[in-house]
Amino acid sequence: MRLLLLLSLLLSSLWSTKLDEKLQFIVQNQPQELSNFKNEQQLITQLYSKNHYKPLWIGHALNLNTLREALQNPYFNYKYKDFYQSQIEQYTYLLHDNIDINQNSDNLSKLDILLTKAYIALTKFIVKSDIDWDMVQTKILNLKEEKDITANWEMVHKSLPSSSKLFSAIINQNINGFLHSLTPLKQRHQDLIDALQFYRTLHGLERIKYAKDLRLGDSYPYISDIKKRLILTGDMLNRNNTSELFDEDLKRAIYSYRTRFKLEHNGLVDKILVYYLNRPMHQLTEKIIVNLDKLKVFPNSFPAEYIKVNIPDFRMNYYRNGNSILEMRAVVGRPERPTPLFSSYMTYLEINPTWTIPENLVRRDLIIALHEHPDYLKEHNIHVFYGWKKRGEMKNFKPEMLFPYADKSKGHIPYRFVQYPGDDNALGRIKFMFPNKYSVYLHDTDNKSLFQYRYRVYSSGCMRLEKPFELLEVLKSRISKKDWKRIEKYRDTLKNQVINLTKKLPVYTTYFSVFKRNGLIYFRKDIYEYDKFIKESQIKY
């Protein structure tokens, strides 16, 4: 419920012994009047104790009005949660200069406590949203039992600000600045808030009636409706062109729209395009809201220089001082073998890498391949070793020696399978290492054709890069001159070389299915269903 801005401000020097006494009595003797939750009772008690049990809001017009505006501000409260506003409104009749403080001390004390509870609730929402993140984690972990999918998301769990910080914002009359300081990834947050406000204005649009498929040069009445909709969504730049002709303006607008929703580029006005244009706007606003919620479990800010792989967008970006200096397509983990979401530091790279096939992939893939193609190892330059310490290659290995280990109950596989460097190596000619417990990394690939697909979900967790040697060039400033010469020397050979970076580089894998690019909002498929889990985990009050 939206509250009216105070027209009559309370005197900032307002003082009442009776009100102070009433507040102190409630805080010290009636904790159930403060909250049903013990930790919140303690926090409220600490705030009033720091203020010597005097009102935090009554008599402090600037703070009171700032808080009420913040409660209604979609930048903070993008779900329009009540946060005690409906209860607060019942007491607004008390907020005028001629109020008898002593006669109304009971109700004024209740109002002051309600405002404090609203302040804490809004702060908690900004930091955590209203999502049970433990429930989201449980759903992700349950994929192992339900679908034999090992999925991992290392969420950044943030604590609520201390009572000292909450009180400091009040006493310094800096409520708005304090709340802004808690907002995660501020530019991304602002972009999503703007998108949410925009798409909320598009509710109730008339459906476009599909007639038939049309292409460049065709003329048909419903082309005008298509153009009007694409003007509204920001995809069609010529706002004066609403003719019935499928012209170049419309062609460019359709390309923009299809790119934003990752639709096939067929150059047509067809049923699929019209279907997407007619999608209920609440589906898009809900998706934006989920991505706003999601910001809460990522860092509040990224460093000055870092690499980010956004899994639903199948794309890697190298950022420096907030600008993307390198961008390329990436292939990520299949839904049944999702790329983990986490952060680490790139510390070294390998030219002409070998690939030691992980045990889970030996069971899932290699055993099947050897059943179908007994010469698979030889054809793919894969060598077999006994155990993980011995260097000597096995000369008498036969595929049937491996087959019993398809059964996990047989224990660990005693054989190590290593693919040697070469053009057919699964890691290509270079890999970038950021040590992590998932054994995933960025690397080249021997199968370049995968980058042409819209949904690039073909790996077993690692991330394959479209232009890995362009990334190497950007990393040159982190490689010593001596090591750079080694790279130049061995790059076109089959000799494996490990190159350490002189300065480690942060790497993040993320899951943003809505984001801003080139001034427009892009929407991506929830390939791992994490957005679905978040929606299902909203806390019901």
Side-chain angles (χ1 to χ4, degrees):
M1 182 179 295
R2 298 189 64 80
L3 302 176
L4 296 175
L5 182 65
L6 290 176
L7 299 177
S8 177
L9 303 183
L10 291 172
L11 296 175
S12 295
S13 60
L14 189 62
W15 176 86
S16 167
T17 300
K18 196 166 185 180
L19 176 56
D20 297 348
E21 290 174 351
K22 183 65 179 178
L23 267 173
Q24 184 169 3
F25 178 80
I26 294 173
V27 171
Q28 292 183 333
N29 301 287
Q30 297 178 326
Q32 71 279 3
E33 296 295 321
L34 304 180
S35 173
N36 294 324
F37 304 101
K38 192 168 183 178
N39 58 347
E40 192 170 89
Q41 291 175 5
Q42 293 173 344
L43 184 55
I44 294 171
T45 299
Q46 290 167 4
L47 287 173
Y48 280 106
S49 173
K50 291 177 183 297
N51 204 42
H52 308 291
Y53 301 101
K54 295 181 182 295
L56 291 167
W57 311 97
I58 305 302
H60 306 282
L62 179 60
N63 279 344
L64 193 152
N65 281 309
T66 301
L67 174 61
R68 294 182 71 188
E69 289 172 358
L71 289 166
Q72 298 174 22
N73 186 346
Y75 181 85
F76 301 123
N77 186 8
Y78 50 84
K79 292 186 181 180
Y80 294 128
K81 308 285 287 187
D82 183 73
F83 295 140
Y84 304 100
Q85 291 181 84
S86 56
Q87 296 178 58
I88 291 169
E89 190 176 60
Q90 297 174 22
Y91 292 96
T92 54
Y93 71 92
L94 297 168
L95 302 178
H96 59 84
D97 293 343
N98 298 321
I99 186 72
D100 188 319
I101 303 301
N102 290 321
Q103 287 186 6
N104 292 277
S105 59
D106 285 355
N107 285 337
L108 285 171
S109 62
K110 291 177 182 177
L111 173 58
D112 204 83
I113 291 169
L114 279 172
L115 288 162
T116 302
K117 291 170 71 172
Y119 176 46
I120 293 170
L122 180 59
T123 300
K124 184 176 180 180
F125 182 79
I126 294 170
V127 173
K128 297 177 177 290
S129 188
D130 58 350
I131 302 300
D132 185 339
W133 295 107
D134 290 336
M135 184 183 295
V136 177
Q137 285 284 26
T138 299
K139 290 177 180 290
I140 291 172
L141 294 176
N142 285 347
L143 288 172
K144 179 65 178 175
E145 183 177 344
E146 296 170 359
K147 300 180 180 180
D148 194 25
I149 294 174
T150 301
N152 293 279
W153 183 353
E154 294 185 6
M155 297 179 177
V156 179
H157 293 287
K158 301 162 189 171
S159 301
L160 280 177
S162 66
S163 60
S164 295
K165 290 183 178 179
L166 287 162
F167 182 69
S168 177
I170 295 172
I171 206 70
N172 292 317
Q173 297 186 325
N174 188 34
I175 302 294
N176 204 50
F178 171 66
L179 297 178
H180 271 280
S181 73
L182 302 175
T183 307
L185 296 170
K186 291 179 176 53
Q187 187 57 59
R188 187 177 292 272
H189 178 91
Q190 184 65 66
D191 291 341
L192 291 173
I193 291 295
D194 292 343
L196 180 60
Q197 295 298 91
F198 172 71
Y199 278 96
R200 276 173 169 164
T201 67
L202 300 185
H203 282 275
L205 296 176
E206 287 189 21
R207 290 183 61 82
I208 297 171
K209 295 180 181 179
Y210 169 80
K212 63 178 182 178
D213 286 1
L214 299 170
R215 64 186 69 247
L216 185 66
D218 289 345
S219 184
Y220 205 82
Y222 91 112
I223 286 292
S224 179
D225 295 331
I226 298 286
K227 286 183 174 180
K228 289 175 183 177
R229 183 62 55 84
L230 292 173
I231 288 171
L232 200 58
T233 59
D235 295 283
M236 186 151 169
L237 301 181
N238 187 350
R239 303 179 65 86
N240 298 315
N241 183 353
T242 58
S243 71
E244 298 177 358
L245 176 65
F246 192 148
D247 50 23
E248 289 291 340
D249 283 345
L250 181 59
K251 178 183 175 182
R252 286 189 290 269
I254 290 174
Y255 186 88
S256 169
Y257 187 87
R258 287 183 179 275
T259 299
R260 290 198 300 116
F261 287 87
K262 213 164 188 63
L263 305 179
E264 181 185 1
H265 285 295
N266 59 11
L268 301 177
V269 169
D270 57 12
K271 283 186 178 180
I272 293 177
L273 178 68
V274 175
Y275 168 80
Y276 270 80
L277 288 170
N278 282 329
R279 286 176 69 187
M281 288 300 160
H282 73 83
Q283 293 181 5
L284 300 184
T285 55
E286 286 174 1
K287 196 170 183 70
I288 295 169
I289 286 171
V290 166
N291 277 265
L292 279 163
D293 289 337
K294 203 183 302 175
L295 297 183
K296 316 295 186 184
V297 289
F298 282 98
N300 273 4
S301 62
F302 288 127
E305 192 165 355
Y306 65 99
I307 283 175
K308 174 175 68 66
V309 180
N310 190 19
I311 305 301
D313 194 33
F314 319 112
R315 193 170 295 271
M316 185 222 81
N317 288 82
Y318 191 124
Y319 289 94
R320 186 177 292 157
N321 298 322
N323 298 312
S324 176
I325 62 171
L326 181 65
E327 179 178 332
M328 67 182 71
R329 297 174 185 176
V331 173
V332 303
R334 302 193 287 276
E336 63 272 20
R337 302 181 190 180
T339 298
L341 303 181
F342 70 109
S343 64
S344 184
Y345 290 93
M346 185 185 297
T347 55
Y348 69 98
L349 57 91
E350 284 190 43
I351 300 293
N352 301 315
T354 59
W355 180 41
T356 301
I357 306 175
E359 185 172 296
N360 66 317
L361 298 189
V362 172
R363 280 201 172 95
R364 288 185 171 190
D365 300 333
L366 186 59
I367 290 176
I368 295 172
L370 286 171
H371 269 295
E372 297 176 354
H373 305 286
D375 293 331
Y376 185 87
L377 298 179
K378 183 178 180 180
E379 292 171 358
H380 291 82
N381 199 16
I382 297 173
H383 300 250
V384 187
F385 300 81
Y386 190 84
W388 292 82
K389 294 183 179 180
K390 294 183 179 180
R391 294 184 178 182
E393 182 178 347
M394 292 181 67
K395 301 299 182 183
N396 60 345
F397 177 82
K398 293 180 174 56
E400 51 267 28
M401 297 166 63
L402 175 65
F403 294 161
Y405 294 96
D407 182 356
K408 290 183 180 180
S409 66
K410 298 293 184 182
H412 285 295
I413 298 172
Y415 312 112
R416 174 165 46 103
F417 298 87
V418 180
Q419 187 178 37
Y420 280 19
D423 290 330
D424 60 348
N425 187 286
L427 306 183
R429 288 289 190 162
I430 186 170
K431 68 176 179 178
F432 304 89
M433 300 299 292
F434 37 102
N436 60 85
K437 62 185 177 183
Y438 310 109
S439 298
V440 300
Y441 32 83
L442 299 166
H443 64 83
D444 187 14
T445 179
D446 61 329
N447 189 355
K448 307 291 187 182
S449 65
L450 296 178
F451 295 107
Q452 67 181 312
Y453 296 108
R454 282 186 295 148
Y455 293 97
R456 296 184 285 277
V457 282
Y458 297 102
S459 87
S460 294
C462 285
M463 294 150 281
R464 309 176 193 180
L465 299 179
E466 181 184 20
K467 299 173 286 188
F469 283 95
E470 289 190 20
L471 175 57
L472 177 63
E473 288 292 331
V474 175
L475 290 172
K476 189 173 182 178
S477 62
R478 294 172 182 263
I479 299 172
S480 69
K481 291 182 179 180
K482 178 181 177 182
D483 283 336
W484 191 257
K485 288 180 180 179
R486 287 172 60 208
I487 292 173
E488 293 175 335
K489 179 179 179 180
Y490 292 107
R491 176 169 167 173
D492 295 325
T493 71
L494 294 181
K495 186 174 178 60
N496 174 258
Q497 290 289 301
V498 174
I499 306 295
N500 291 312
L501 300 184
T502 58
K503 184 181 180 182
K504 62 184 181 180
L505 176 67
V507 177
Y508 297 85
T509 56
T510 64
Y511 198 84
F512 299 131
S513 53
V514 182
F515 51 88
K516 187 176 183 179
R517 181 185 293 156
N518 303 324
L520 295 172
I521 295 298
Y522 286 63
F523 295 85
R524 291 295 179 256
K525 186 177 179 181
D526 181 20
I527 56 172
Y528 295 161
E529 296 194 330
Y530 294 169
D531 288 3
K532 173 175 170 285
F533 293 162
I534 293 172
K535 285 178 64 177
E536 293 171 347
S537 303
Q538 182 170 328
I539 299 170
K540 302 292 191 293
Y541 294 104

